[in-house]
Amino acid sequence: MARTTSFTKRSLISKANSTMVVATTAAAFVLVFALVAGKSLIGQAAYQNKVISTKKTALMQLEADLEARDRLQASYKAFVAANPNVLGGDSTANVTDKDGDNAKLVLDALPSKYDFPALTTSLEKIIQGQNLQIMNISGTDLEAAQAGKQTSPTPTPVAMPFQVQVSGSYQSIQNLTSVFMNSIRPFQIQTMEISGDESSMTALISAQTFFQPEKSLSIKTEVVQ
């Protein structure tokens, strides 16, 4: 009878120990799962907060850009509509070199495309306007080399070197240099060789003008990590 009681007690103790192990294991599993899940939820919450913060920053920047766009548009319209223009000419006419709206004058001042033939045409008009005879207009046409540089995120002026050889009076040649120096389109005279007398002179002018590629705008996406 005593042996049976002792065996029963051991069985109950063993069963209790097994139950305790199972309960401890289950509790440990639940605890580990809760810690892992909690860490994951905290990470997700931090990521979502970062995404929301980035979106708010982007929205604020977009709103500021839209306001700047509206101000720029209003300023541009006022600039174009100004009469007389910045050169004192008629913004609604096209009679003299000073006429035309300010937007046209600015584009003429610093073209956004490399166009050497258009440059030679402009030079011909300028030279003939000073009663000079054109002997030669030369330069290196770099249109093929500049074909891939018509836009840039950070545009800077690009030089367009050329040479002109003209003949006429000393006063006419002097007037030509003044026109170059006072032109709305920038000209830099680098060298000038003059020969002849006051009434009949020949001038060889080496100079350069410029064009500036258009500014390219790109909308980028950002991955929030």
Side-chain angles (χ1 to χ4, degrees), residues 159 162 180-181 185-191 205-210:
F162 64 90
F180 279 151
M181 298 302 293
R185 180 169 187 173
F187 288 96
Q188 290 182 348
I189 297 177
Q190 297 170 311
T191 63
I205 302 173
S206 295
Q208 63 181 8
T209 185
F210 303 87

Side-chain angles (χ1 to χ4, degrees), residues 39-173:
K39 183 179 179 181
S40 177
L41 289 175
I42 292 173
Q44 286 293 326
Y47 173 75
Q48 291 300 329
N49 287 335
K50 190 173 182 180
V51 170
I52 292 172
S53 177
T54 304
K55 285 185 176 180
K56 286 182 178 179
T57 301
L59 179 60
M60 292 174 60
Q61 183 62 54
L62 178 60
E63 290 174 346
D65 290 344
L66 290 175
E67 291 179 1
R69 179 207 62 185
D70 293 339
R71 292 195 300 269
L72 178 62
Q73 187 177 38
S75 298
Y76 174 80
K77 288 181 178 179
F79 179 67
V80 172
N83 196 11
N85 58 33
V86 293
L87 296 181
D90 189 343
S91 63
T92 61
N94 190 26
V95 178
T96 69
D97 292 337
K98 293 184 178 182
D99 291 340
D101 61 58
N102 287 327
K104 176 182 179 298
L105 295 177
V106 170
L107 290 176
D108 287 344
L110 202 59
S112 60
K113 304 292 184 183
Y114 182 91
D115 193 342
F116 193 79
L119 172 61
T120 59
T121 300
S122 297
L123 292 173
E124 288 176 0
K125 183 178 179 181
I126 292 173
I127 294 170
Q128 290 171 352
Q130 307 309 313
N131 297 318
L132 289 167
Q133 181 180 354
I134 300 172
M135 301 177 67
N136 186 39
I137 297 178
S138 62
T140 303
D141 191 344
L142 301 176
E143 186 170 358
Q146 296 294 336
K149 303 177 183 179
Q150 301 300 310
T151 61
S152 171
T154 55
T156 56
V158 180
M160 300 176 65
F162 64 90
Q163 280 189 332
V164 295
Q165 188 173 17
V166 298
S167 63
S169 67
Y170 172 79
Q171 185 62 51
S172 295
I173 293 175

Side-chain angles (χ1 to χ4, degrees), residues 170-206:
Y170 172 79
Q171 185 62 51
S172 295
I173 293 175
Q174 188 177 45
N175 292 342
L176 176 62
T177 59
S178 296
V179 169
F180 279 151
M181 298 302 293
N182 296 320
S183 172
I184 189 172
R185 180 169 187 173
F187 288 96
Q188 290 182 348
I189 297 177
Q190 297 170 311
T191 63
M192 183 167 62
E193 300 176 9
I194 299 176
S195 60
D197 54 37
E198 186 174 352
S199 61
S200 179
M201 303 191 74
T202 298
L204 177 61
I205 302 173
S206 295

